[in-house]
């Protein structure tokens, strides 16, 4: 009798506590950064078979390694489109990410070519800039032809038609800047940490990216058709190193967002240190100096998470080219220090430019002007 009373009391207490515990768990899960990892191909779709290697197996091994590392970080929740050798239709992959309310979608693949081409590249959804980008997208998109009823699933999309690609880009336009940021993190990490050849960040019309409603990238780890790179990607060492770089890039991306969305974030010590005019500084009253950190055809939003955490940003369009700048001052001593900060943030090729009355002038001409000092 006493035992039943004790059990009843314990059960009552447990039932009272359980809803609170469940609510806390749900709240914690909602606060996590949700990453959907997509291993390309699978099942009866092996992907490319360069040098006899299987793209579907390499992509899955890398994805599982990335997922395992992120799952050990309490800030992340990982969702997989597949964890085994199964065939998942492209539209289902996007649906998995959308239903999960994902913050990020990362699809992993391996490349192929008829030559000994090699190197990594990361794609975001956009109009293909050239035939090479279109062909890469066409190869990955052609998997839909293996699906039953693909005409209905993709509303008449033709993977062999450049015109079909144009319609893909519209839904992802809202997330383009964030996707470009992550893609840049991935490529920089491959190049600097692993000394892999970077073929750059590119835009092309991938169906799997079109299906998602969040920042999304497609990573080509390298070319299985290249004798050396194929062997590396098929090795445990190569897969482990590539997975570690992708993991670090995802963490860096999340932390860059955290820095932006903090309320009243503190200025970095470097920027604070160089904002004041010091004795002996070279100041040119009618000149404005800036640090040019990037240039390209893409119109990127001036948010610090798009530029490795830099603020004080501006841009200028000349013809079809956008130029991006960090800092704006008549103090030449200050701009030199700002350039050092830009280099420290990963913009190794940044350089100082000069303007007079909003018109660009040669730096040598600007430095010939009279200076004033404190």
């Amino acid at each position: 009798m006493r035992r039943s009373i004790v059990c009843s009391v314990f059960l009552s207490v447990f039932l009272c506590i359980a809803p609170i515990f469940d609510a806390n768990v749900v709240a914690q899960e909602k606060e996590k950064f949700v990453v959907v990892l997509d291993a390309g191909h699978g099942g009866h779709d092996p992907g490319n078979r360069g040098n006899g290697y299987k793209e579907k197996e390499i992509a899955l091994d890398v994805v599982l390694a990335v997922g395992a590392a992120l799952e050990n970080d309490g800030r992340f929740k990982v969702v997989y489109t597949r964890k085994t050798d199964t065939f998942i239709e492209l539209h289902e992959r996007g649906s998995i990410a959308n239903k999960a309310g994902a913050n990020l979608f990362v699809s992993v693949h391996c490349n192929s070519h008829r030559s000994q081409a090699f190197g990594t590249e990361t794609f975001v959804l956009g109009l293909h800039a050239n035939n090479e980008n279109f062909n890469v997208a066409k190869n990955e998109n052609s998997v839909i032809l293996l699906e039953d009823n693909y005409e209905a699933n993709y509303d008449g999309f033709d993977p062999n038609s450049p015109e079909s690609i144009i319609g893909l880009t519209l839904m992802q336009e809202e997330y383009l800047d964030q996707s470009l940021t992550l893609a840049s993190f991935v490529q920089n990490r491959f190049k600097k940490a692993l000394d892999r050849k970077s073929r750059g960040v590119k835009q092309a019309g991938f169906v799997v990216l079109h299906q998602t409603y969040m920042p999304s990238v497609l990573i080509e780890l390298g070319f299985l058709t290249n004798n050396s790179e194929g062997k590396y990607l098929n090795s445990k060492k190569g897969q482990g190193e590539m997975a570690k770089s992708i993991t670090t890039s995802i963490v860096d991306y999340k932390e860059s967002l955290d820095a932006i969305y903090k309320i009243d974030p503190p200025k970095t010590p470097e920027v604070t240190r160089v904002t004041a005019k010091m004795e002996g500084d070279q100041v040119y009253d009618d000149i404005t100096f800036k640090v040019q950190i990037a240039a390209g055809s893409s119109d990127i939003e001036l948010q610090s998470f798009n530029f490795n955490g830099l603020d004080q940003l501006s841009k200028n369009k000349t013809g079809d080219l956008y130029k991006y700048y960090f800092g704006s001052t008549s103090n030449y001593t200050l701009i030199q220090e700002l350039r050092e900060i830009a280099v420290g943030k990963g913009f190794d090729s940044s350089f100082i430019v000069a303007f007079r009355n909003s018109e660009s002038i040669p730096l040598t001409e600007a430095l010939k002007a009279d200076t004033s000092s404190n």
Side-chain angles (χ1 to χ4, degrees), residues 49-109:
R49 297 290 303 275
N51 279 312
Y53 307 127
K54 294 182 180 179
E55 179 184 2
K56 67 174 183 177
E57 294 179 355
I58 295 172
L60 180 59
D61 288 342
V62 170
V63 155
L64 292 177
V66 173
L70 291 177
E71 286 170 340
N72 286 329
D73 186 327
R75 298 172 295 174
F76 292 90
K77 176 183 177 182
V78 179
V79 176
Y80 303 87
T81 59
R82 69 180 182 97
K83 296 183 72 174
T84 59
D85 185 17
T86 52
F87 179 73
I88 307 294
E89 297 183 354
L90 291 188
H91 69 95
E92 290 181 3
R93 297 170 190 255
S95 179
I96 290 169
N98 297 332
K99 289 178 181 177
N103 301 101
L104 207 57
F105 178 86
V106 179
S107 188
V108 176
H109 293 256

Side-chain angles (χ1 to χ4, degrees), residues 258-272 304 309 311 345:
D258 291 343
I260 293 302
Y261 294 122
K262 280 182 181 177
I263 299 174
D264 192 22
K267 288 185 178 294
T268 60
E270 305 101 308
V271 176
T272 303
S304 61
D311 56 7
K345 293 289 188 179

Side-chain angles (χ1 to χ4, degrees), residues 7-48:
C7 290
S8 297
V9 172
F10 175 80
L11 182 60
S12 298
V13 171
F14 176 78
L15 291 175
C16 290
I17 293 175
I20 299 174
F21 174 77
D22 289 343
N24 289 336
V25 170
V26 171
Q28 290 173 0
E29 286 296 307
K30 284 185 177 180
E31 291 176 0
K32 290 188 176 183
F33 191 85
V34 181
V35 179
V36 171
L37 298 177
D38 173 52
H41 308 282
H44 62 272
D45 170 27
N48 89 70

Side-chain angles (χ1 to χ4, degrees), residues 44-231:
H44 62 272
D45 170 27
N48 89 70
R49 297 290 303 275
N51 279 312
Y53 307 127
K54 294 182 180 179
E55 179 184 2
K56 67 174 183 177
E57 294 179 355
I58 295 172
L60 180 59
D61 288 342
V62 170
V63 155
L64 292 177
V66 173
L70 291 177
E71 286 170 340
N72 286 329
D73 186 327
R75 298 172 295 174
F76 292 90
K77 176 183 177 182
V78 179
V79 176
Y80 303 87
T81 59
R82 69 180 182 97
K83 296 183 72 174
T84 59
D85 185 17
T86 52
F87 179 73
I88 307 294
E89 297 183 354
L90 291 188
H91 69 95
E92 290 181 3
R93 297 170 190 255
S95 179
I96 290 169
N98 297 332
K99 289 178 181 177
N103 301 101
L104 207 57
F105 178 86
V106 179
S107 188
V108 176
H109 293 256
C110 300
N111 226 329
S112 66
H113 200 268
R114 59 185 176 277
S115 72
Q116 283 293 301
F118 66 100
T120 69
E121 49 195 8
T122 301
F123 287 88
V124 301
L125 186 64
L127 295 179
H128 53 279
N130 53 44
N131 286 334
E132 181 182 358
N133 289 5
F134 172 70
N135 288 330
V136 173
K138 183 171 72 172
N139 289 338
E140 300 294 358
N141 292 338
S142 63
V143 66
I144 71 173
L145 301 178
L146 301 177
E147 301 177 16
D148 296 330
N149 199 30
Y150 79 87
E151 295 93 341
N153 290 337
Y154 302 99
D155 195 25
F157 173 80
D158 178 3
N160 297 309
S161 166
E163 289 75 21
S164 287
I165 299 294
I166 296 174
L168 294 180
T169 64
L170 301 178
M171 292 299 291
Q172 263 283 327
E173 189 173 349
E174 178 181 351
Y175 307 105
L176 179 59
D177 291 338
Q178 295 96 316
S179 300
L180 286 169
T181 297
L182 175 61
S184 296
F185 283 177
V186 170
Q187 285 303 117
N188 288 338
R189 180 66 57 177
F190 284 156
K191 181 178 180 180
K192 293 183 177 180
L194 300 182
D195 198 29
R196 309 302 300 174
K197 177 186 176 182
S198 173
R199 296 168 65 91
V201 174
K202 300 180 179 181
Q203 297 186 40
F206 291 95
V207 169
V208 71
L209 299 184
H210 163 65
Q211 301 290 321
T212 60
Y213 303 138
M214 72 277 310
S216 305
V217 300
L218 186 146
I219 301 170
E220 295 281 3
L221 298 172
F223 289 78
L224 298 185
T225 44
N226 179 276
N227 295 336
S228 175
E229 193 161 71
K231 184 178 180 180

